[in-house]
Amino acid sequence: TNYNQSQYVKALEYYLKAQPIAEKYNDRKLMPQVYNNMANIYKDLDNYSRSYPYRLMALKIYREDNYKYGIAALLSNTGYDLMNMVDTSLQRIGYTHKQRVDTVLVYFRRALVLFDELGMPYGTASVLGNMGLLYNNLDRYDSALIYQQKSYNYFKQLDAKLDMAGCLGDMSLIY
């Protein structure tokens, strides 16, 4: 409830209390949820350097447990966090700009494959949109438009009007 009410500091306090309990009992269902929710809070606070490690922790568990939906979602979220991380934070974790771009693309492409395998067009559409944002950030506008259009087409098939509007807004930024 605190998270939904945008009371991020309070929500984080509770997750920081839940984390050691989940870890103590090695609760493999709860641990990645706690890590991912903590990452979401840091993301919402625009602190991607803090969200990124929690995403990796959750991703590791989902990979070990072969939980494909969790892997796909975490690959997408982790790529998004890394894409938005400022350069000083990248240096602290040992990434150059090129390494960041390459890694983000790997995350997004793997997420696309999994969402397609799972038959989850909403996930596919979201990742395609994120790829459009990445290419826009790289000033590769033709590629950015292609991915935003693909994302829009998926959302249109799903009749996801707000997401369609988001894609149109992202396309307007490219022009």
Side-chain angles (χ1 to χ4, degrees):
T1 302
N2 289 309
Y3 177 79
N4 293 334
Q5 296 175 8
S6 300
Q7 296 177 12
Y8 300 125
V9 173
K10 192 70 166 169
L12 191 57
E13 285 177 28
Y14 285 106
Y15 284 123
L16 287 169
K17 290 177 184 177
Q19 180 183 355
I21 296 167
E23 290 171 346
K24 177 181 177 180
Y25 293 100
N26 196 32
D27 188 323
R28 299 188 65 79
K29 184 176 179 185
L30 182 59
M31 287 188 318
Q33 290 173 357
V34 168
Y35 299 150
N36 193 49
N37 288 336
M38 290 171 70
N40 286 337
I41 291 170
Y42 285 119
K43 174 192 66 87
D44 289 344
L45 295 171
D46 290 330
N47 192 340
Y48 297 99
S49 63
R50 294 290 303 263
S51 64
Y52 183 70
Y54 285 107
R55 300 268 194 229
L56 293 177
M57 292 164 61
L59 181 59
K60 181 178 185 285
I61 293 170
Y62 284 152
R63 281 181 169 154
E64 290 170 357
D65 294 350
N66 198 32
Y67 177 44
K68 288 189 179 186
Y69 171 75
I71 295 168
L74 261 298
L75 286 169
S76 178
N77 290 339
T78 304
Y80 184 86
D81 290 353
L82 186 57
M83 176 176 71
N84 287 291
M85 204 178 292
V86 295
D87 288 338
T88 53
S89 297
L90 287 173
Q91 292 167 352
R92 279 197 298 269
I93 62 172
Y95 275 94
T96 64
H97 178 73
K98 181 180 178 348
Q99 288 170 318
R100 168 181 39 188
V101 170
D102 293 345
T103 303
V104 168
L105 283 172
V106 167
Y107 285 144
F108 286 162
R109 288 177 180 146
R110 288 181 182 166
L112 275 178
V113 168
L114 286 172
F115 280 131
D116 284 342
E117 282 178 11
L118 294 166
M120 302 186 84
Y122 190 91
T124 300
S126 295
V127 174
L128 290 168
N130 286 341
M131 291 177 80
L133 294 174
L134 175 66
Y135 285 116
N136 186 45
N137 293 345
L138 297 172
D139 298 332
R140 292 178 55 190
Y141 303 117
D142 290 342
S143 295
L145 281 172
I146 289 168
Y147 281 100
Q148 287 299 340
Q149 188 63 54
K150 287 180 180 181
S151 177
Y152 176 86
N153 291 341
Y154 269 93
F155 285 134
K156 187 174 181 179
Q157 289 176 346
L158 297 168
D159 198 34
K161 292 184 181 359
L162 289 176
D163 296 298
M164 291 165 56
C167 287
L168 292 171
D170 290 339
M171 283 188 255
S172 73
L173 296 174
I174 295 167
Y175 288 106

